Amino acid sequence: MPNEDLLTIGQRTYRSRLLVGTGKYKDLDETGAAIAESGAEIVTVAIRRTNIGQSPDEPNLLDVVSPERYTILPNTAGCFNAKDAIRTCQLARELLDGHNLVKLEVLGDQKTLYPDIPATLEAAEALIKDDFEVMVYTNDDPIVAKRLEAMGCVAVMPLAAPIGSGLGVQNKYNILTIVENAEVPILVDAGVGTASDASVAMELGCDGVLMNTAIAGAKNPVLMASAMRKAVEAGREAFLAGRIPRKRYASASSPLDGTFF
Amino acid sequence: MPNEDLLTIGQRTYRSRLLVGTGKYKDLDETGAAIAESGAEIVTVAIRRTNIGQSPDEPNLLDVVSPERYTILPNTAGCFNAKDAIRTCQLARELLDGHNLVKLEVLGDQKTLYPDIPATLEAAEALIKDDFEVMVYTNDDPIVAKRLEAMGCVAVMPLAAPIGSGLGVQNKYNILTIVENAEVPILVDAGVGTASDASVAMELGCDGVLMNTAIAGAKNPVLMASAMRKAVEAGREAFLAGRIPRKRYASASSPLDGTFF
Amino acid sequence: MPNEDLLTIGQRTYRSRLLVGTGKYKDLDETGAAIAESGAEIVTVAIRRTNIGQSPDEPNLLDVVSPERYTILPNTAGCFNAKDAIRTCQLARELLDGHNLVKLEVLGDQKTLYPDIPATLEAAEALIKDDFEVMVYTNDDPIVAKRLEAMGCVAVMPLAAPIGSGLGVQNKYNILTIVENAEVPILVDAGVGTASDASVAMELGCDGVLMNTAIAGAKNPVLMASAMRKAVEAGREAFLAGRIPRKRYASASSPLDGTFF
Amino acid sequence: MPNEDLLTIGQRTYRSRLLVGTGKYKDLDETGAAIAESGAEIVTVAIRRTNIGQSPDEPNLLDVVSPERYTILPNTAGCFNAKDAIRTCQLARELLDGHNLVKLEVLGDQKTLYPDIPATLEAAEALIKDDFEVMVYTNDDPIVAKRLEAMGCVAVMPLAAPIGSGLGVQNKYNILTIVENAEVPILVDAGVGTASDASVAMELGCDGVLMNTAIAGAKNPVLMASAMRKAVEAGREAFLAGRIPRKRYASASSPLDGTFF
């Protein structure tokens, strides 16, 4: 990997392009081990479901995911309207001593966990005005992605597929269009199921991938964390290395056009 | 990667599951650098096109790909009938001091570079009788793959897509069926275009991947070699780690059935 | 086709589930011939680009697409904000003597022709308040689709792929989810390229398909119109007939689960 | 459909490009009704499983599928070697008073029902020498398809996917290559699940499609038969009409190249 290939989000700079969550692990030990193996430097935490100090007498995630080693990225998972999401971010800022980088998600329904786009736009605007640095979960609509960027979000995070589905990138053209139009980092968030899914996202030019279930839900989460670390690096390097064109045959004089599928 | 996860082909054992070719590089320096970066331990050489001693006064590939460091795997690229393929293997054995591991390919036509299956079966049988250890390039037909194994081939190498096409695995069900039925290593040979293609093959349970154009033809072959090394490892680890099932939603009670695409 | 299988949009009922546009034909004769061959009963007209009476001295589309035979569906193609779209609908209502069924599209940019969702929501709300029956072009986000339905749109028309792309349904899960959640007709609008694309949309349970370029841009538009008529019927019938499950083999005891691609 | 668009197989000419089987129906009435609705003119019969006169006292398929109305195409389903297949064809010829058009299938195993290619080649050669007109079931390998044509088969019938799987065309490039190289009719045989699958095969340029389970196994076989008739016609017409190219956007100046998926 070229040494200078860094990911910049807001004011911060990272070497790893894999971001991970903390839910669904067997216990905090497994959480810590998998996250360490993943090589992630940014760890997202569902403030409504995870104790990072709200309940002083219970196990604290920050004991295994140290804020000194990782950028803790509070997220608003479980919020279904702008107001709840904004409050959750404010609570997180208090708990984390003024830390202002957040991942905003405002969900549209319980079943698909797709974002509610109008509420997401509303919450993003309010949070940016309140000096948050907003990384924002969104659908894969290129127009929406551009609007969120224009509004001042520091990273735009389109879904590959529904949260927890493991289906991989469903609409590659949309992700590609979002990437081509972007001037802030585009991180695929949600829907990755296995290593190749993460590579595909990176090969499309995404700046990073965020995942939780794909690692925590694997039979062997620590080994899957290693797979995902390598997959993100592999996809990034393949993107930078410039792949061969797709052709029907080696002997074809030009890449596929018109007859691809 | 678990330490004990080794690839055994015939009598030999390897740590790397990425096999690479030597064609299409700018020069021997680039060849050597990309192969080193790929981490490959088996390097396949087209005996009809590559000097490994046939022309004593010309640059010798073995100067940059040392037989002491790598297993040299002579292949019969460019052979369109069993007789030529058999002779080429015999020539290779002489040049390599009795080395009897070969990669057999008997091609069906110049355009698709698909194998000629009846001629492949014929050549494989003759070579096995002549004490070669035969790794064999084939199409992705599960019945043919099983027959080649039954005949005594030490590895079966179905194509993912046409040689040099970069299209990736075209028929995942066939590759999966071949893998499920096999008692010898199954290595995807031909058709890989980028990192995720290699991961996909490994996630299907293949024992390894062989490629040449995908690395040598990339804009930056050395960086792509690194990508491919990581992609093969990522795919292998993801296979071993046990991925989450594909579901339409996180909340779905069972994996997709009937309504997948 | 069962006789009772009718498409109801607002107050009107149709036998055909193929809706067509009028742009990009060589001349009005070809327009008329292709539309007749398609069997369509609803014909959408881009009010900003098509003369249906605005220019009394020029050829009038209604001469070949008679409002007595077809439901004329004015659309707001070319409108990039709510205000323009609303005005265009009002102009159409005047030109068409109070006809209040319209197809709303508010576009987000010139390149992708993706909808601008917030502006679409705004325009839909205003038009419904102004007694229009609104059929609405949207992206394939299930949450947005449901909101447009809840607001009172008489049909929701998610894109299969970008307008004019010919790529076919890019995200089948999204279209399926929209269909499953809907209580108004769901018509795929935009992105169909060939007959099977239309069938796929119908097999997902869509109530109809709208297209223009796929017919008008074919080498033989009249023959393609016939193909599309049959494809929409075929897809509808296949949906109603209940397809066999996908399985890896005939002998498999259960449909694919976990190992589909 | 252009009037002159006929399918010629050997000496015979047909209007319909849908060929159907007779297995798996509830009863002979349903068989007859579905076949009539399909518009098929060629009906294939598994000689080893179907009574066409071998058991004079039992219901005879030919009572509902009259040889005066349909071309009866005996097939060798259930044969796992060349000898059995050859004998089955000879028996059929006797039962059908010298009728010499047969569909040869020599299967490789019970699970996948993939063909055994060497045995298929052997049986085809023997049958052609014995004055049969051979339509031959094969895998989707272009080299094998060309060899079967060169040998004198009157039609080559590559599988789309395993028999009874309903997966649709798995390797479009292979089918396309087979079609491009062929001088005899190419009929997709096996693997179709729903209407769009049949259209896809025809859009690739195939001359026809043969299916059984997709119709007989549908919840409503007669309605599915109608769907398939239309789907085959739609796909054929779309192929002849010349589809629009796939592009990322309408505004793109050239079709997709390099960045398609």
Side-chain angles (χ1 to χ4, degrees):
Chain A
M1 182 84 67
N3 277 333
E4 69 281 14
D5 183 42
L6 301 175
L7 169 64
T8 300
I9 295 179
Q11 315 301 322
R12 299 164 181 84
T13 296
Y14 302 94
R15 214 158 256 297
S16 167
R17 291 171 179 276
L18 173 57
L19 293 74
V20 298
T22 62
K24 301 183 188 174
Y25 286 100
K26 194 177 56 184
D27 53 32
L28 283 182
D29 278 359
E30 193 184 67
T31 312
I35 291 174
E37 188 69 29
S38 76
E41 297 169 297
I42 302 178
V43 177
T44 190
V45 177
I47 295 301
R48 297 191 141 202
R49 301 195 204 114
T50 313
N51 183 30
I52 59 165
Q54 305 98 310
S55 306
D57 301 334
E58 289 176 25
N60 186 326
L61 177 80
L62 302 185
D63 294 343
V64 296
V65 183
S66 156
E68 281 163 32
R69 177 164 169 197
Y70 298 102
T71 294
I72 303 299
L73 177 64
N75 71 59
T76 62
C79 295
F80 287 83
N81 59 62
K83 201 169 136 196
D84 285 356
I86 294 165
R87 275 197 194 151
T88 300
C89 290
Q90 289 165 338
L91 169 63
R93 185 161 55 182
E94 283 170 37
L95 289 166
L96 294 167
D97 302 322
H99 173 95
N100 70 346
L101 183 71
V102 293
K103 186 188 147 204
L104 171 65
E105 42 183 288
V106 187
L107 302 176
D109 72 12
Q110 293 274 7
K111 187 166 109 180
T112 64
L113 302 180
Y114 253 62
D116 177 330
I117 293 303
T120 299
L121 290 164
E122 181 193 338
E125 192 166 29
L127 288 167
I128 291 165
K129 198 170 289 176
D130 192 15
D131 289 331
F132 282 94
E133 290 190 294
V134 178
M135 300 173 68
V136 60
Y137 166 64
T138 183
N139 60 19
D140 63 2
D141 179 329
I143 305 297
V144 174
K146 195 65 192 173
R147 190 134 331 156
L148 289 163
E149 174 187 327
M151 186 177 279
C153 292
V154 299
V156 175
M157 307 181 71
L159 51 75
I163 293 175
S165 67
L167 291 170
V169 179
Q170 289 299 294
N171 192 328
K172 293 180 187 174
Y173 292 113
N174 273 1
I175 298 294
L176 187 62
T177 300
I178 291 172
V179 166
E180 289 175 350
N181 290 345
E183 287 166 38
V184 295
I186 302 300
L187 312 173
V188 156
D189 180 9
V192 163
T194 188
S196 56
D197 296 337
S199 297
V200 164
M202 297 305 295
E203 288 162 1
L204 289 167
C206 288
D207 299 279
V209 178
L210 186 150
M211 65 183 73
N212 181 17
T213 310
I215 295 175
K219 294 212 178 101
N220 182 338
V222 176
L223 185 56
M224 188 58 92
S226 170
M228 289 300 185
R229 175 172 54 78
K230 291 175 180 175
V232 169
E233 290 180 17
R236 177 66 180 176
E237 291 180 3
F239 173 72
L240 295 174
R243 62 160 292 159
I244 56 169
R246 289 172 180 88
K247 301 198 290 187
R248 280 184 58 201
Y249 318 111
S251 57
S253 57
S254 67
L256 277 173
D257 50 349
T259 51
F260 65 89
F261 308 107
Chain B
M1 182 86 68
N3 277 334
E4 70 280 15
D5 183 42
L6 301 175
L7 169 65
T8 301
I9 296 179
Q11 316 301 321
R12 298 164 180 85
T13 296
Y14 302 94
R15 213 158 257 299
S16 167
R17 292 171 179 275
L18 173 57
L19 293 74
V20 297
T22 62
K24 299 183 190 175
Y25 286 100
K26 195 177 55 184
D27 53 33
L28 284 182
D29 279 357
E30 193 183 66
T31 312
I35 291 174
E37 187 70 29
S38 76
E41 296 170 297
I42 302 178
V43 177
T44 189
V45 176
I47 296 300
R48 296 192 141 202
R49 301 196 204 115
T50 312
N51 184 29
I52 59 164
Q54 305 97 309
S55 305
D57 301 334
E58 289 175 25
N60 187 325
L61 178 80
L62 302 185
D63 294 342
V64 296
V65 183
S66 157
E68 281 163 31
R69 176 163 171 200
Y70 299 102
T71 294
I72 303 299
L73 177 64
N75 72 59
T76 63
C79 293
F80 288 82
N81 59 62
K83 201 170 136 195
D84 286 355
I86 293 165
R87 274 196 195 153
T88 300
C89 290
Q90 290 166 337
L91 168 63
R93 183 160 58 182
E94 283 170 37
L95 288 167
L96 293 167
D97 301 323
H99 172 95
N100 70 348
L101 183 71
V102 293
K103 185 188 147 205
L104 171 65
E105 42 183 287
V106 187
L107 302 176
D109 72 12
Q110 293 275 6
K111 188 167 108 178
T112 63
L113 302 178
Y114 254 63
D116 177 330
I117 294 302
T120 298
L121 291 164
E122 180 193 338
E125 191 167 31
L127 288 167
I128 291 165
K129 197 171 290 176
D130 192 14
D131 289 329
F132 283 94
E133 290 190 293
V134 178
M135 301 172 68
V136 60
Y137 167 64
T138 182
N139 61 20
D140 62 2
D141 180 329
I143 305 297
V144 173
K146 195 65 191 172
R147 189 132 334 151
L148 289 163
E149 174 186 327
M151 186 178 279
C153 292
V154 298
V156 175
M157 306 181 72
L159 51 75
I163 293 175
S165 67
L167 291 171
V169 178
Q170 289 298 294
N171 192 327
K172 293 181 187 176
Y173 293 112
N174 274 1
I175 298 294
L176 186 62
T177 300
I178 291 172
V179 166
E180 289 174 349
N181 290 345
E183 287 166 38
V184 295
I186 302 300
L187 313 172
V188 155
D189 180 8
V192 164
T194 189
S196 55
D197 296 338
S199 296
V200 164
M202 298 305 295
E203 288 162 1
L204 289 167
C206 289
D207 298 279
V209 178
L210 187 150
M211 66 183 73
N212 181 18
T213 310
I215 295 175
K219 292 212 177 100
N220 182 340
V222 177
L223 185 56
M224 189 57 93
S226 170
M228 291 300 186
R229 175 172 53 79
K230 291 175 180 174
V232 168
E233 290 180 16
R236 178 66 181 175
E237 291 180 2
F239 172 72
L240 295 175
R243 62 160 292 160
I244 55 170
R246 288 172 180 87
K247 301 198 290 187
R248 280 184 60 200
Y249 318 112
S251 57
S253 56
S254 68
L256 276 174
D257 50 350
T259 51
F260 67 88
F261 307 106
Chain C
M1 181 88 64
N3 278 333
E4 68 282 13
D5 183 43
L6 300 175
L7 169 65
T8 300
I9 295 179
Q11 315 301 321
R12 300 163 179 87
T13 295
Y14 302 95
R15 215 158 256 298
S16 166
R17 293 173 179 274
L18 173 58
L19 293 74
V20 298
T22 63
K24 301 186 189 173
Y25 286 99
K26 196 176 55 183
D27 53 33
L28 284 182
D29 279 358
E30 193 183 65
T31 312
I35 291 174
E37 188 70 28
S38 76
E41 297 170 296
I42 302 177
V43 177
T44 190
V45 177
I47 295 301
R48 299 194 140 201
R49 301 195 203 113
T50 313
N51 183 29
I52 60 166
Q54 305 98 309
S55 307
D57 302 335
E58 289 175 24
N60 187 324
L61 179 79
L62 302 184
D63 294 344
V64 297
V65 183
S66 157
E68 282 162 32
R69 176 164 170 198
Y70 299 102
T71 295
I72 303 298
L73 177 64
N75 71 58
T76 62
C79 294
F80 287 83
N81 60 62
K83 201 170 137 197
D84 286 355
I86 293 165
R87 275 194 194 156
T88 299
C89 290
Q90 290 165 338
L91 169 63
R93 184 159 57 180
E94 283 170 37
L95 289 166
L96 293 167
D97 301 323
H99 172 95
N100 69 349
L101 183 71
V102 292
K103 185 188 146 204
L104 171 65
E105 42 182 287
V106 187
L107 302 176
D109 73 12
Q110 294 274 8
K111 188 166 110 179
T112 64
L113 302 178
Y114 253 63
D116 176 330
I117 293 304
T120 298
L121 290 164
E122 181 193 338
E125 192 166 32
L127 288 167
I128 291 165
K129 198 171 290 177
D130 191 15
D131 288 329
F132 281 95
E133 291 191 293
V134 178
M135 301 173 68
V136 59
Y137 166 65
T138 182
N139 60 19
D140 62 2
D141 179 329
I143 305 297
V144 174
K146 196 64 191 171
R147 188 133 332 154
L148 289 163
E149 175 187 326
M151 187 178 280
C153 292
V154 298
V156 175
M157 307 181 70
L159 51 76
I163 293 175
S165 68
L167 291 171
V169 179
Q170 290 298 295
N171 191 328
K172 294 180 186 173
Y173 292 112
N174 273 1
I175 298 294
L176 187 62
T177 300
I178 291 172
V179 166
E180 288 174 350
N181 291 345
E183 287 165 38
V184 294
I186 302 300
L187 313 172
V188 155
D189 180 10
V192 164
T194 189
S196 55
D197 297 337
S199 297
V200 164
M202 298 305 295
E203 289 162 1
L204 289 167
C206 288
D207 298 279
V209 178
L210 187 150
M211 65 182 76
N212 182 16
T213 310
I215 295 175
K219 293 212 176 100
N220 183 338
V222 177
L223 185 55
M224 188 57 92
S226 170
M228 289 300 185
R229 175 171 55 78
K230 292 175 181 176
V232 168
E233 290 180 19
R236 178 66 180 175
E237 291 179 3
F239 173 73
L240 295 173
R243 62 159 293 160
I244 56 170
R246 288 172 181 88
K247 301 198 289 187
R248 280 184 60 199
Y249 319 110
S251 56
S253 56
S254 68
L256 276 173
D257 50 349
T259 51
F260 66 90
F261 307 107
Chain D
M1 182 87 65
N3 278 333
E4 68 281 11
D5 183 44
L6 301 174
L7 169 64
T8 300
I9 295 179
Q11 316 299 321
R12 299 162 179 87
T13 295
Y14 302 94
R15 215 157 256 298
S16 166
R17 293 172 178 275
L18 173 58
L19 293 74
V20 298
T22 63
K24 301 184 189 174
Y25 287 100
K26 194 176 56 183
D27 53 32
L28 283 183
D29 278 357
E30 193 182 68
T31 312
I35 291 174
E37 188 70 29
S38 77
E41 296 169 298
I42 302 177
V43 177
T44 190
V45 177
I47 295 302
R48 299 194 139 199
R49 301 196 204 113
T50 313
N51 183 28
I52 61 166
Q54 305 99 308
S55 306
D57 302 335
E58 290 176 25
N60 186 326
L61 178 79
L62 302 185
D63 293 343
V64 296
V65 183
S66 157
E68 282 162 32
R69 176 164 170 200
Y70 299 101
T71 294
I72 304 298
L73 178 64
N75 71 59
T76 63
C79 294
F80 288 83
N81 59 62
K83 202 170 137 195
D84 286 355
I86 294 165
R87 276 195 192 153
T88 300
C89 289
Q90 290 166 339
L91 169 63
R93 183 159 59 181
E94 284 170 36
L95 289 166
L96 293 168
D97 302 322
H99 172 96
N100 69 349
L101 183 70
V102 293
K103 185 189 147 203
L104 171 66
E105 42 182 287
V106 187
L107 301 176
D109 72 14
Q110 294 274 8
K111 187 166 109 180
T112 64
L113 302 178
Y114 254 62
D116 177 329
I117 293 303
T120 298
L121 291 164
E122 181 192 339
E125 192 165 31
L127 288 167
I128 291 165
K129 198 170 289 176
D130 191 15
D131 289 330
F132 282 95
E133 290 190 292
V134 178
M135 301 173 68
V136 59
Y137 166 63
T138 182
N139 61 19
D140 63 2
D141 179 328
I143 305 297
V144 173
K146 196 65 191 171
R147 190 133 332 155
L148 289 162
E149 175 187 326
M151 188 177 279
C153 292
V154 298
V156 175
M157 307 182 71
L159 51 76
I163 292 174
S165 67
L167 291 171
V169 179
Q170 290 297 295
N171 192 327
K172 295 180 185 173
Y173 292 112
N174 274 2
I175 298 294
L176 187 61
T177 300
I178 291 172
V179 166
E180 288 174 350
N181 290 346
E183 286 165 39
V184 295
I186 302 300
L187 312 172
V188 155
D189 180 9
V192 163
T194 189
S196 56
D197 296 338
S199 296
V200 164
M202 297 305 295
E203 289 162 1
L204 290 168
C206 288
D207 297 279
V209 178
L210 187 150
M211 65 183 73
N212 182 17
T213 310
I215 295 175
K219 293 211 177 101
N220 183 337
V222 176
L223 186 56
M224 188 57 92
S226 170
M228 290 300 187
R229 175 172 53 77
K230 292 174 180 175
V232 168
E233 288 180 19
R236 178 64 180 175
E237 290 179 4
F239 172 72
L240 295 174
R243 62 159 291 159
I244 56 170
R246 289 173 181 89
K247 301 198 289 187
R248 280 184 59 201
Y249 319 110
S251 57
S253 55
S254 68
L256 276 173
D257 49 348
T259 50
F260 66 89
F261 307 108

